[in-house]
Amino acid sequence: YLANGFLMDGIASSSFDFVIANHVLEHASNPVGALVQWFRVLKPGGILYCALPRMDITFDKGRKLTTAAHMMEDYQFCGDHNRAQMRERNLDHYREWLSIAIPAHTGQPPPKPDLLAVQIGEYADREEEIHFHTFTMASALELLRELAKSVLPQMTVVQALDARAEILLILKKSPTPQ
């Protein structure tokens, strides 16, 4: 299958026994929407394996922790087709990415303010894919608890592991509708 991994467009519901999302969710500007789609394509009893980078170990260190509330708001804005609000929110993510994450990764100094403003605009115009969101084990589990309550009641956490520089999640779709 060749499809947008966040939208899973063209892929039938309940068609896969498992979905693997290895260092993908942090790249979604709407991570809740991606999780909803991944669960949509899972068969009842199917498994989602999801690995996330820990922000305190990777080049995301120094960025703000993304809260579950923020990601739930992103989902709401996307559901409301509020592209202007999402673009505005993503400007902050691009600013952090360009001024904190890229310098941490490359060892280069952050861009000067005038160049930073230009780069942020260019990233936004291209809808550049970056690490939009940051995670710790606690924040990932908080997001999953919130999703199970309100958006994905068919989701259960089978296992959550803190594995050095990443968070490993094994999630299951209930075999019967909730």
Side-chain angles (χ1 to χ4, degrees), residues 64-73 133-134 139 142-143:
K64 290 183 290 195
L65 175 64
T66 309
T67 64
H70 176 101
M71 289 182 262
M72 294 300 288
E73 288 169 358
H133 301 292
T134 58
S139 73
E142 178 187 357
L143 175 64

Side-chain angles (χ1 to χ4, degrees), residues 145-171:
R145 279 191 298 275
E146 183 62 36
L147 289 176
K149 282 192 301 188
S150 60
V151 178
L152 289 171
Q154 73 274 30
M155 178 189 70
T156 57
V157 178
V158 174
Q159 191 163 19
L161 278 169
D162 189 344
R164 288 191 270 170
E166 61 187 356
I167 300 158
L168 305 178
L169 304 170
I170 300 173
L171 311 173

Side-chain angles (χ1 to χ4, degrees), residues 34-174:
L35 285 162
V36 166
Q37 290 305 313
W38 297 340
F39 267 83
R40 178 186 65 77
V41 302
L42 279 176
K43 293 177 183 176
I47 297 290
L48 167 62
Y49 169 85
C50 186
L52 305 166
R54 278 182 42 190
M55 70 172 291
D56 61 326
I57 304 283
T58 65
F59 49 79
D60 285 325
K61 186 176 184 173
R63 294 182 63 199
K64 290 183 290 195
L65 175 64
T66 309
T67 64
H70 176 101
M71 289 182 262
M72 294 300 288
E73 288 169 358
D74 286 346
Y75 181 63
Q76 183 66 46
F77 290 137
C78 288
D80 293 343
H81 303 290
N82 193 336
R83 289 186 53 82
Q85 185 65 39
M86 280 301 293
R87 178 183 164 88
E88 187 65 33
R89 288 169 74 90
N90 286 342
L91 293 177
D92 287 335
H93 297 302
Y94 290 133
R95 179 174 292 104
E96 279 189 345
W97 180 255
L98 291 162
S99 64
I100 298 170
I102 293 293
H105 183 65
T106 64
Q108 299 295 313
K112 298 203 181 308
D114 55 338
L115 179 57
L116 178 61
V118 169
Q119 288 177 332
I120 291 168
E122 291 171 350
Y123 270 53
D125 290 345
R126 290 191 311 264
E127 295 183 354
E128 190 76 26
E129 189 179 296
I130 62 164
H131 284 196
F132 284 100
H133 301 292
T134 58
F135 294 91
T136 62
M137 177 61 86
S139 73
L141 291 174
E142 178 187 357
L143 175 64
L144 295 177
R145 279 191 298 275
E146 183 62 36
L147 289 176
K149 282 192 301 188
S150 60
V151 178
L152 289 171
Q154 73 274 30
M155 178 189 70
T156 57
V157 178
V158 174
Q159 191 163 19
L161 278 169
D162 189 344
R164 288 191 270 170
E166 61 187 356
I167 300 158
L168 305 178
L169 304 170
I170 300 173
L171 311 173
K172 185 174 184 176
K173 183 175 183 177
S174 299

